[in-house]
Amino acid sequence: MKILIAEDDKHILNGMSDLLEKEGYIIIKAVNGKVALELFNQYQPDFIILDIMMPELDGYSVCRAIRKLNEDVPILFLSAKDEEIDRVIGLELGADDYMNKPFGIHELRARIKAIAKRYLKSKHLTLSKEDYFQFGDLNVYPTELYAKRNDQIIELTLREIKILECLYQYKNQVVTRDMLFDYVWGYDFLPNSRTLDQHISKLRKQIEINPSIPTLIKTVHGIGYRH
């Protein structure tokens, strides 16, 4: 899922980018409205975060231009303004949501995740025609971004879903580290080896009954992992 973030404050821009990249999203950064519009046409992102007060073109103008080209792509406005009229204008221009600055990381993550669920449903990014796949004693729901064990709901990120999908596709086979890198991060991005280990460790803590003795994701030393 590609997210275009248009924000002229580089600290906010880089902070949001780092956060969302860790969640598994591909981030496209723009420092003003003009660049945002150019990047939208170039990359066709799946979701857009727009600051309202930007140089070159403000967020309202960018939103208006994008809506002439694409009526469906989700748009979230960010603004230091807290006037009702600003929210009304944004929503009337076709924005899906509106957040005031300063905002909390958890709130941003929750709103992005809600949009991600809608995106996944619309794109049908699942392994089969089923709504879920079985991963050991878990039912994993890719379009809902969670797994379920009996009545327990386990929230997952996009990247964690991709790791489980890859291991599921090669059930009972060894999945090398390179295979996981290619499937989860893609050919254009190669994280360091420690990044994968950290994701697997975090995922085990979420889905394994006893993370110290994993049964769902087993380590094959020197090679990779197996489900």
Side-chain angles (χ1 to χ4, degrees), residues 30-209:
V31 294
N32 62 56
K34 183 178 179 181
V35 171
L37 202 52
E38 292 172 352
L39 292 176
F40 172 80
N41 289 322
Q42 182 177 353
Y43 293 103
Q44 296 297 303
D46 306 297
F47 179 42
I48 301 167
I49 300 175
L50 288 178
D51 183 28
I52 292 179
M53 303 299 293
M54 291 188 294
E56 302 292 340
L57 282 175
D58 61 40
Y60 293 143
S61 300
V62 176
C63 180
R64 189 180 294 109
I66 288 174
R67 281 291 176 249
K68 290 180 180 179
L69 301 170
N70 188 316
E71 296 180 353
D72 300 319
V73 61
I75 296 175
L76 168 65
F77 269 129
L78 302 177
S79 179
K81 296 183 176 182
D82 194 23
E83 299 294 330
E84 182 181 5
I85 185 62
D86 296 307
R87 292 192 293 272
V88 170
I89 291 173
L91 296 174
E92 286 183 346
L93 286 173
D96 295 83
D97 208 345
Y98 189 105
M99 287 182 64
N100 290 323
K101 297 178 183 177
F103 49 82
I105 290 175
H106 296 298
E107 181 185 5
L108 176 64
R109 184 186 291 116
R111 298 207 191 192
I112 296 293
K113 193 167 185 177
I115 296 293
K117 287 182 179 180
R118 193 178 83 188
Y119 163 76
L120 287 170
K121 286 181 180 178
S122 67
K123 297 296 184 181
H124 303 291
L125 294 184
T126 57
L127 295 175
S128 67
K129 294 181 180 179
E130 300 297 329
D131 293 331
Y132 67 91
F133 62 90
Q134 288 188 304
F135 196 88
D137 62 340
L138 294 174
N139 287 338
V140 181
Y141 297 81
T143 62
E144 299 293 336
L145 296 182
Y146 72 81
K148 189 174 183 180
R149 174 182 285 121
N150 298 323
D151 294 328
Q152 179 190 8
I153 300 295
I154 303 169
E155 298 286 340
L156 299 170
T157 65
L158 280 170
R159 189 153 283 160
E160 289 163 350
I161 288 286
K162 295 281 284 182
I163 290 173
L164 295 181
E165 282 182 346
C166 185
L167 293 169
Y168 171 80
Q169 287 189 3
Y170 297 96
K171 186 176 181 179
N172 297 321
Q173 301 177 50
V174 176
V175 178
T176 67
R177 301 175 72 83
D178 286 342
M179 290 168 66
L180 275 167
F181 281 142
D182 290 343
Y183 189 92
V184 179
W185 279 269
Y187 291 99
D188 297 329
F189 179 71
L190 293 176
N192 61 47
S193 178
R194 189 60 185 155
T195 300
L196 177 59
D197 295 334
Q198 290 170 343
H199 276 82
I200 294 292
S201 176
K202 178 175 178 287
L203 190 51
R204 280 173 170 162
K205 290 176 182 178
Q206 293 175 278
I207 67 172
E208 297 281 3
I209 294 176

